[in-house]
């Protein structure tokens, strides 16, 4: 299975249950944008909790203008020429600005974060 997040402006890291599964672009101090790269990350079976919940964390850095997940098919897909949605990630997400690597931890307290709609047009 693969996590697809489309295009992210500018830099990102993805975690599955606290394990880094991929990154595109470079965070400061050696900043390098990758706003035009499509994000697709393999989900290693060894990190998947088949008996319970799984947490996907997305760390994003934006240097200017609009940022974040900006376009593309968002979801978890099986490998194939035409992605078939396995699990849709178009829903309400929790959001907070700033940077803290502890946020990738499964027990991190995010109760004071804002809700945003990802991939749901018109909401």
């Amino acid at each position: 299975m693969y996590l697809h997040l489309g295009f992210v402006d500018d830099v990102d890291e993805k975690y599955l249950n606290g394990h880094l599964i991929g990154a595109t672009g470079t965070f400061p101090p050696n900043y390098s944008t990758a706003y035009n790269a499509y994000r697709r990350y393999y989900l290693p079976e060894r990190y998947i909790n088949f008996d319970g919940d799984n947490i996907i964390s997305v760390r994003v850095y934006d240097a200017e203008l609009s940022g974040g997940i900006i376009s593309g098919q968002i979801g978890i897909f099986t490998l194939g020429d035409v992605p078939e949605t396995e699990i849709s990630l178009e829903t309400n997400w929790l959001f907070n600005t700033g940077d803290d690597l502890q946020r990738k931890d499964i027990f991190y307290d995010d109760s004071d974060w804002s809700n945003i709609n990802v991939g749901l047009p018109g909401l």
Side-chain angles (χ1 to χ4, degrees), residues 2-72:
Y2 290 83
L3 170 65
H4 287 243
L5 287 178
F7 295 91
V8 177
D9 187 11
D10 284 301
V11 180
D12 66 88
E13 290 179 341
K14 309 298 185 295
Y15 297 85
L16 174 60
N17 294 325
H19 300 278
L20 181 66
I21 59 170
T24 307
T26 308
F27 283 87
N30 300 314
Y31 166 71
S32 175
T33 185
Y35 73 92
N36 59 347
Y38 186 87
R39 272 45 172 209
R40 182 182 85 168
Y41 300 98
Y42 175 68
L43 298 174
E45 281 191 37
R46 67 184 178 275
Y47 299 149
I48 297 173
N49 179 8
F50 290 99
D51 297 322
D53 293 335
N54 289 277
I55 303 294
I56 294 173
S57 301
V58 181
R59 181 179 179 220
V60 175
Y61 175 79
D62 179 56
E64 57 187 280
L65 303 174
S66 297
I69 301 169
I70 55 174
S71 66

